[in-house]
Amino acid sequence: MVAAVPTDLAEARRRHDELSRTVRDARYRYYVLSDPPMTDAEFDALFQQLVALEDAHPALVTSNSPTQQVGAPVDTAFAPFRHLQPMLSLDNAFSREELEAWAQRVERGLHADDRLAYVCELKIDGVAINLVYRDGVLTTAATRGDGTVGEDVTAQVATIDAVPYRLAADDPPAVLEVRGEVYYPLEAFEAMNAARIERGEEAFMNPRNAASGALRQKDPEVTRQRPLSVWCHGFGVLEGASFATYSGALDWMRAAGLPVADETRVVGSVEEVWDFVERWTTARHDVAYEIDGVVVKVDALAQREELGFTARAPRWAIAYKMPPVEQETTLERIEVNIGRTGKATPYAVLEPVVVAGTRITYATLHNEIQIHAKDVREGDRVMIRRAGDVIPEVVGPVLTKRQPEATVWHMPADCPFCGQPLVRPEGEAHHFCENVDCPNRLLESLAHLASRGALDIEGLGEQSVELLVAKGLVGDLADVFRLAERRDELLALEKWGTKRVDNLLAGIEAAKQRPLERVLVALNIRHLGPTYAKLLARHLGSLDAIRAATPEQLEAIEGIGPTIAAAVHAWFATPRNAQLIDELVGLGITTEAERAGGDVDVDAELLAGWTLVVTGTLEGFTRDEVKDALEARGAKVTGSVSKRTRAVVAGESPGSKLAKAEDLGVPVLDETGLRHLLETGELPA
Ligand code: IVH
């Protein structure tokens, strides 16, 4: 499963960079956009490759590596909440051997004569949650976010019956962070989806997505309508109580009214752990919620302390991932969708089949090459796989059941939506419809423009987009920003009252203020996801500069490779796009990047533990901007220089603080030094 690790460091670094980008982008799309670009199994495989590269070449481990981070950036729709203790992730094991290797590492990490007990739990495929209880009262509930800062969803969690507002304990701890998983019970999930299908609405892909969607409803009354529940599986900060074992803590939590799963067992050997794994792999559908593995944890808290953590995960726990679930069904036909960048994606239309609790009718086939590699044909019986995945996948045909008349499938010559030829550029795996005005491409582009990761226009969902296009109110992206001039026509739409129209127009107006990187994402440029869009915005500073940049200038930006450089340049060089940009600019879209310290993706831990002092005036930043930029990276900014000050940022006319710093031997940074620190987390050499 893991590709060979290059021995040459330069080659390893190149591969590491590439994988890091893919993994980061996938996380963002999974957590923030709820639109994962690959299956969980594929993600796990890529992630394991990163780990293998870093094991072979420790020089590749930096605080920026995805292996040192968990989760994804926080959505701005909810207030940020800094967890009292970070919410880490778990390392994975995919086989008995890997599980045993972990147990051996645990044993080696402890004194030889220590007795070892493991707690085995089901791994719930839900949404991680942190519940903060102060003096026994729930004060905050937050999603994991990037592990350090999550989204405050207290109002939403308060609607979940299983979560007690007050703990049933006489002498509750002063502070207790309870860690758990919010899930959507399977039966309710299926009933809800059936009702949605009945009403002609789109069904949720799986319970995890449904839980995440329900939890992140801005209106908690909507969350209340969903039968969400929670299982608790750990704790963070614990003040005013102590336990010797995790199982003891779980017993206490259960008695205090917190939901703790009954399936949890304490065992004394790795053989018994494996028994638990085997039993639940067979019985995974016997529980009322979706599981995707077993989590094994060292029980004694003193032993946990001895074992400690890596940057990403505790050494005292491991997640065994169950093999992905497969089902057989008939592939009725292969159809082609044209996406927002013109990419043609073939997909399988299936005889509906339920896999791991989810009804599946479509499965992606990625591209023609994949279809030929797997040799799947229309009419075949095929295996469908989904491992708590969001995008189900065709594993391959059941060849023994193939009908003699089944023929090899080929990509149609022409776009099924506009009839223009589909082309496969040199070196690309995908075909594309190059017609900028292709009707399906337009619909997808508009829906993407309005989506959360792009301009986040409330009220402009897929159905509204379809209606607006069908009624001739919108013919390209710029027309969205002209809708205000056509308010009367909007009001004439069936079932669109004044409130809906005015909300939409207000949403569109607000979208003009989104930061430049979101505008770039909204343009539907091939390969340009949020990570790269941020790089462009941050390094080039304005739409004009990005537009004018040559491929060489784009490629000179650290992190931008030739493919993206070429795609960006080609997009802006297309006359139809250039015209679109002129129109969008004329309509008031953001054209300048925010200054440092603004909403760029910063590593909130980059300067954790640093105390800095700022003095004097800088050219490129106001004092507040410097402070914001430093604090956004976890640093503390204070007013006076002491021995604990790690560095002083000094501009023009610095005053006595500079003298004090020099006295104490505290490093002094000018503006270039500050920029270096903000970028790298290190003092300039
Ligand atoms: S313990 C220090 N126990 O799986 C990490 N996690 O893949 C503590 N999960 O982030 C996590 N069931 O959100 C733990 N029984 C369980 C779990 C569980 C599901 C989730 C959790 C974690 C993720 C890691």
Side-chain angles (χ1 to χ4, degrees), residues 292-325:
D292 62 350
V294 166
V295 183
V296 190
K297 302 170 182 176
V298 170
D299 194 22
L301 299 185
Q303 290 178 341
R304 287 190 179 188
E305 195 130 317
E306 244 175 276
L307 291 163
F309 298 83
T310 67
R312 166 179 79 235
R315 293 202 180 85
W316 44 260
I318 190 100
Y320 169 82
K321 289 270 191 109
M322 288 171 179
V325 189

Side-chain angles (χ1 to χ4, degrees), residues 53 63 121-122 267-268 358 374 387 414-415 425 505 517 536 590 629:
L53 279 169
S63 61
E121 287 174 348
L122 299 182
V267 302
T358 299
K374 290 178 178 167
D414 299 329
C415 170
L505 294 178
E517 60 265 25
L536 292 184
T590 303

Side-chain angles (χ1 to χ4, degrees), residues 14 80 501 580 647 659:
R14 201 193 53 73
V501 168
L580 175 70

Side-chain angles (χ1 to χ4, degrees), residues 129-425:
I129 194 86
N130 186 25
L131 307 171
V132 184
Y133 284 91
R134 292 183 189 273
D135 296 321
V137 172
L138 179 71
T139 54
T140 310
T143 62
R144 181 166 71 175
D146 65 5
T148 306
V149 177
E151 300 154 328
D152 187 327
V153 287
T154 313
Q156 288 70 14
V157 168
T159 68
I160 303 178
D161 286 342
V163 176
Y165 170 67
R166 190 183 295 277
L167 296 178
D170 287 340
D171 192 13
V175 186
L176 168 65
E177 269 182 310
V178 177
R179 301 290 161 74
E181 211 74 9
V182 174
Y183 66 91
Y184 210 119
L186 274 175
E187 205 173 310
F189 169 76
E190 274 154 30
M192 178 227 7
N193 251 356
R196 287 176 77 92
I197 292 165
E198 189 73 32
R199 288 196 299 268
E201 294 169 10
E202 204 176 321
F204 279 102
M205 268 299 199
N206 61 32
R208 196 204 74 85
N209 256 22
S212 170
L215 195 60
R216 297 165 92 241
Q217 288 294 327
K218 288 172 197 161
D219 177 1
E221 288 314 307
V222 180
T223 312
R224 195 189 298 282
Q225 309 306 317
R226 313 283 155 80
L228 295 180
S229 198
V230 172
W231 288 128
C232 300
H233 55 55
F235 53 87
V237 161
L238 172 60
E239 269 174 38
S242 73
F243 299 100
T245 59
Y246 171 57
S247 51
L250 284 182
D251 289 342
W252 182 89
M253 279 160 54
R254 191 184 277 119
L258 287 160
V260 175
D262 290 329
E263 290 78 15
T264 300
R265 292 287 176 274
V266 185
V267 302
S269 68
V270 71
E271 288 73 30
E272 289 168 89
V273 170
W274 189 249
D275 288 346
F276 185 92
V277 166
E278 283 199 314
R279 186 154 75 80
W280 283 106
T281 304
T282 315
R284 68 188 285 181
H285 302 301
D286 295 355
V287 280
Y289 45 93
E290 180 133 298
I291 60 171
D292 62 350
V294 166
V295 183
V296 190
K297 302 170 182 176
V298 170
D299 194 22
L301 299 185
Q303 290 178 341
R304 287 190 179 188
E305 195 130 317
E306 244 175 276
L307 291 163
F309 298 83
T310 67
R312 166 179 79 235
R315 293 202 180 85
W316 44 260
I318 190 100
Y320 169 82
K321 289 270 191 109
M322 288 171 179
V325 189
E326 297 186 4
Q327 280 289 345
E328 190 184 312
T329 188
T330 301
L331 190 163
E332 289 176 345
R333 36 179 212 287
I334 298 175
E335 294 190 350
V336 176
N337 187 48
I338 302 296
R340 61 194 179 85
T341 64
K343 192 203 275 180
T345 304
Y347 60 95
V349 181
L350 306 165
E351 179 192 323
V353 60
V354 175
V355 188
T358 299
R359 184 171 182 274
I360 292 173
T361 342
Y362 303 107
T364 180
L365 288 163
H366 304 291
N367 53 52
E368 190 181 45
I369 297 178
Q370 290 281 325
I371 295 177
H372 291 168
K374 290 178 178 167
D375 187 22
V376 276
R377 304 181 186 185
E378 288 180 322
D380 273 351
R381 291 292 287 174
V382 290
M383 298 307 294
I384 301 301
R385 170 162 57 194
R386 99 165 250 280
D389 291 345
V390 179
I391 306 169
E393 194 189 14
V394 176
V395 184
V398 184
L399 286 174
T400 50
K401 298 186 184 168
R402 171 165 288 164
Q403 301 298 315
E405 66 273 16
T407 50
V408 173
W409 184 84
H410 290 287
M411 183 65 80
D414 299 329
C415 170
F417 299 98
C418 71
Q420 300 257 342
L422 292 176
V423 291
R424 188 167 136 204

Side-chain angles (χ1 to χ4, degrees), residues 66-81:
T67 64
Q68 311 298 303
Q69 296 153 358
V70 297
V74 166
D75 191 327
T76 45
F78 293 92
F81 176 76

